Amino acid sequence: MAAQKFITIYETLKQQINDGIYSYGELLPSEHELLEQYQSSRETVRRALHLLEDNGMIQKIRGKGSIVIDQKLTEFPFSDLISFKEVKEELGLQHNTIVLVNEVIEAEQEPYIKQQLGLNSTDKLLHVVRSRHINGKTKILDEDYFLASVVPKISNTIAQDSIYNYLENELALEISYSNKSITFEPFTEREYDVFGNVEPPYTATVRSIVYLKDTTQFQYNVSKHLATEFKFNEFSRRHKNKDGRGTEI
């Protein structure tokens, strides 16, 4: 019966989030309030909350509670936040990354990014552009904007290797989840320069906002993949493997 009850609590809270009763950035009732409301045990309530968290509806923050993060932006996000380096090594592919841009800019230079990350004009962004190559062929164009107050600089050597390894192991950042949307877009002059003459000349363009565990929006990424070689899945949450490795960028 307890197993059925935690599913009932989960489905009820999920529906309330979808209906806007609890909107983005709001806290759910506390565990104590929920166990009284549903006349249930603390363990049953916690199982329901864990399920909401695993499915990208909430983020649990120590000392605050469960905050709603579902923004209706996760149309076609990846199943795991896994880096280019990690996934290509697992598949045994020959890969390399070329850094095209590595600079610090004013947020006001990129009004759309500024708006998406909720920044002020005086805030600074670390802007990194990289092309990804597999077996000698360009497959992905990645453009990243990091909040410079969180990530002040990244060397070209790190950008060529794994930025997330640096963020997590050197800067000790806790990367938690992302919301991503996907559009299929025709090549511009820039894509022709990077990918060459490819048929059909379209990219699957993934735009994502990445959050730290405390829900800080610290990264905006635009990742352009050759449309004919692109797959997608579910909600993205950063996980740790048993050996401590993260599962992106």
Side-chain angles (χ1 to χ4, degrees):
M1 183 67 69
Q4 294 177 345
K5 192 158 191 177
F6 94 85
I7 291 293
T8 299
I9 297 171
Y10 161 76
E11 292 290 352
T12 301
L13 290 172
K14 178 181 177 181
Q15 189 61 53
Q16 289 173 337
I17 291 171
N18 286 334
D19 290 343
I21 296 173
Y22 300 112
S23 59
Y24 173 73
E26 286 189 36
L27 288 169
L28 292 184
S30 67
E31 288 185 5
H32 180 72
E33 290 171 325
L34 289 172
L35 66 89
E36 287 194 343
Q37 180 179 343
Y38 291 100
Q39 292 297 294
S40 182
S41 69
R42 188 173 297 275
E43 179 61 26
T44 298
V45 167
R46 284 180 175 173
R47 291 183 68 185
L49 293 175
H50 283 313
L51 194 54
L52 285 170
E53 185 175 32
D54 287 342
N55 284 281
M57 306 295 288
I58 65 169
Q59 175 74 16
K60 299 184 75 176
I61 302 177
R62 186 182 298 275
K64 293 185 69 174
S66 300
I67 189 169
V68 175
I69 63 173
D70 179 43
Q71 296 174 278
K72 309 306 178 198
L73 295 178
T74 56
E75 293 136 294
F76 302 104
F78 298 113
S79 57
D80 286 300
L81 276 167
I82 183 167
S83 72
F84 177 81
K85 178 182 179 181
E86 289 166 350
V87 72
K88 300 313 172 189
E89 287 183 346
E90 289 178 7
L91 294 175
L93 299 175
Q94 294 296 318
H95 64 88
N96 70 296
T97 295
I98 296 176
V99 180
L100 304 175
V101 177
N102 190 349
E103 62 181 358
V104 176
I105 63 174
E106 301 286 343
E108 62 183 7
Q109 293 177 238
E110 294 288 348
Y112 180 76
I113 309 301
K114 172 177 170 286
Q115 186 269 331
Q116 289 296 303
L117 295 180
L119 304 179
N120 297 314
S121 296
T122 55
D123 289 328
K124 295 184 183 299
L125 292 165
L126 177 61
H127 179 216
V128 180
V129 181
R130 296 170 291 172
S131 58
R132 314 291 208 162
H133 307 263
I134 302 172
N135 297 330
K137 184 177 179 181
T138 306
K139 299 286 188 177
I140 303 169
L141 178 65
D142 266 328
E143 185 164 20
D144 290 287
Y145 298 87
F146 296 96
L147 190 58
S149 60
V150 177
V151 186
K153 64 180 180 178
I154 294 172
S155 70
N156 283 348
T157 300
I158 289 170
Q160 288 172 339
D161 185 40
S162 175
I163 289 180
Y164 271 26
N165 180 64
Y166 169 71
L167 298 182
E168 292 180 321
N169 297 315
E170 297 294 328
L171 299 187
L173 298 178
E174 293 188 84
I175 302 165
S176 184
Y177 63 94
S178 70
N179 283 316
K180 304 188 181 186
S181 63
I182 297 176
T183 55
F184 289 84
E185 303 173 0
F187 276 15
T188 65
E189 184 176 340
R190 185 189 195 190
E191 281 75 57
Y192 277 114
D193 287 342
V194 172
F195 295 107
N197 292 318
V198 177
E199 290 296 334
Y202 279 81
T203 62
T205 301
V206 185
R207 292 180 173 84
S208 57
I209 299 174
V210 187
Y211 297 74
L212 299 177
K213 190 175 181 180
D214 65 1
T215 73
T216 297
Q217 302 174 120
F218 86 105
Q219 177 193 2
Y220 190 89
N221 170 263
V222 181
S223 188
K224 292 180 176 288
H225 304 245
L226 290 177
T228 54
E229 302 180 21
F230 183 76
K231 295 181 180 179
F232 54 83
N233 249 320
E234 254 305 333
F235 174 79
S236 300
R237 184 174 291 282
R238 181 74 175 167
H239 293 288
K240 289 286 188 177
N241 297 326
K242 291 181 179 179
D243 62 2
R245 283 195 314 149
T247 63
E248 211 179 36
I249 285 187

